[in-house]
Amino acid sequence: DMRGDAKSALEEYQRAATFDPSNLRLVLDVSRRLIRNREFTGAEQLLERASREKDAPANLHALLGAVYT
């Protein structure tokens, strides 16, 4: 089933982004996909962790703000 494969892939990417929150491109992509899937808690946790990175971009903080609302 393609949905199952996509879900498994997203879970793997989420683990990778959690392991390396400095990979901001991956964090943003995974977070957007989680939000699209209405998995707000996962997106929030990932974005909060990545927002602690020294060079976290403004769009990451904006996406985190959107998750809060």
Side-chain angles (χ1 to χ4, degrees):
D1 174 286
M2 290 293 280
R3 277 187 283 231
D5 291 343
K7 183 175 180 169
S8 293
L10 181 57
E11 289 170 356
E12 289 298 318
Y13 282 118
Q14 185 176 3
R15 275 193 276 284
T18 299
F19 180 73
D20 184 10
S22 66
N23 186 339
L24 298 174
R25 178 181 240 169
L26 178 62
V27 168
L28 287 168
D29 183 51
V30 170
S31 297
R32 287 183 185 116
R33 291 173 191 272
L34 289 169
I35 291 167
R36 226 177 289 137
N37 291 347
R38 306 190 62 76
E39 296 178 36
F40 301 113
T41 301
E44 179 183 347
Q45 291 170 347
L46 188 56
L47 289 165
E48 281 182 349
R49 185 172 176 154
S51 72
R52 296 184 203 118
E53 292 295 312
K54 182 179 74 164
D55 296 327
N59 61 336
L60 185 143
H61 292 283
L63 194 56
L64 180 56
V67 169
Y68 289 145
T69 57

